[in-house]
Amino acid sequence: MRRAEERGELTYIGIRHEGAAACAASLSIMTKHGVAVETLRAVDHDIATGVWPDMTEHGWPADHWPGIYQRVLAADILVLAGPIWLGDNSSVMKRVIERLYACSHLLNEAGQYAYYGRVGGCLITGNEDGVKHCAMNVLYSLQHLGYVIPPQADAGWIGEAGPGPSYLDPGSGGPDNDFTNRNTTFMTWNLLHLARMLKDAGGIPAHGNQRSEWDAGCRFDFDNPDYR
């Protein structure tokens, strides 16, 4: 595979609650192939609750999301990383998804939803069951917003059931777990492959999926029985 910078640089952003170490393994592969990467820790930012692009316009005193959204929009690849809490995604992960959703009505230059032409994945860690449940929720949410999900776009690690060490704690076995390392590697490469395919193709073809055209009356061969 030719290095990314030889064919137009790919860009990646990771938004995490926890999972910095798991993200690092994926980032290492991406940087080796010329991908411009950045990560941010959601709890370090004042992300308001709500479903509008800028919640300061709706009564909140502060909202860092508009700036984060611009960074998300600039990236070809988005990976969300977080812990398992009570068998589910954390409230921080849910807030990030909620704010991604808050901007999902915005359109790109072709009249498609703004997230079209980008790929998404997730990393989940914890010491209780729920990796697949959490990944299912994240990946469904991303595709609903317009992201393309490649094969095996999730990876995770869980320790023994019950209280115990986290991924990076001594003796956890997390960084040495072959199942986790394999899935993280496959996820990373599948994200890279699909992001490259989309970028080289100029994104998702703009036909049959343009909100602007639908609102203007175009129905893209949809047969309305009332008009037969």
Side-chain angles (χ1 to χ4, degrees):
M1 180 177 180
R2 286 183 291 165
R3 291 178 63 86
E5 63 265 30
E6 294 177 3
R7 295 183 291 161
E9 187 177 74
L10 291 173
T11 53
Y12 162 104
I13 185 168
I15 302 178
R16 62 182 178 85
H17 176 192
E18 291 184 2
C23 283
S26 179
L27 292 177
S28 175
I29 295 172
M30 292 197 183
T31 55
K32 288 176 183 176
H33 292 275
V35 178
V37 303
E38 71 163 316
T39 63
L40 64 88
R41 186 169 177 253
V43 293
D44 293 336
H45 298 267
D46 191 352
I47 300 174
T49 301
V51 290
W52 295 98
D54 185 350
M55 290 307 298
T56 62
E57 298 175 357
H58 299 271
W60 283 78
D63 186 10
H64 291 177
W65 182 256
I68 295 172
Y69 171 71
Q70 292 303 320
R71 294 160 71 179
V72 168
L73 210 59
D76 301 298
I77 302 167
L78 170 66
V79 172
L80 301 181
I84 305 166
W85 288 116
L86 297 175
D88 205 346
N89 286 302
S90 71
S91 61
V92 177
M93 174 72 84
K94 289 177 180 291
R95 180 172 297 191
V96 169
I97 292 172
E98 177 182 76
R99 298 309 304 280
L100 286 167
Y101 179 72
C103 298
S104 64
H105 67 287
L106 302 175
L107 305 180
N108 63 22
E109 292 181 356
Q112 302 164 311
Y113 291 113
Y115 299 122
Y116 271 43
R118 295 165 176 79
V119 300
C122 68
L123 290 164
I124 308 294
T125 62
N127 58 7
E128 56 184 292
D129 197 13
V131 169
K132 289 181 173 61
H133 172 78
C134 292
M136 174 181 67
N137 178 262
V138 172
L139 296 179
Y140 167 79
S141 299
L142 290 179
Q143 68 79 31
H144 182 76
L145 302 181
Y147 278 89
V148 181
I149 308 301
Q152 297 175 307
D154 65 297
W157 175 86
I158 52 173
E160 276 190 43
S166 296
Y167 181 83
L168 273 184
D169 289 344
S172 75
D176 300 318
N177 186 282
D178 185 69
F179 181 82
T180 297
N181 293 339
R182 184 196 70 193
N183 285 357
T184 300
T185 301
F186 285 14
M187 177 201 75
T188 302
W189 275 105
N190 286 337
L191 288 167
L192 283 169
H193 290 319
L194 191 53
R196 171 51 58 198
M197 291 166 65
L198 285 170
K199 197 167 187 101
D200 287 351
I204 301 290
H207 181 76
N209 52 24
Q210 297 157 287
R211 174 63 186 269
S212 60
E213 294 298 309
W214 184 274
D215 290 346
C218 183
R219 289 299 178 261
F220 306 109
D221 299 324
F222 173 80
D223 290 326
N224 188 334
D226 293 338
Y227 294 94
R228 286 180 180 173

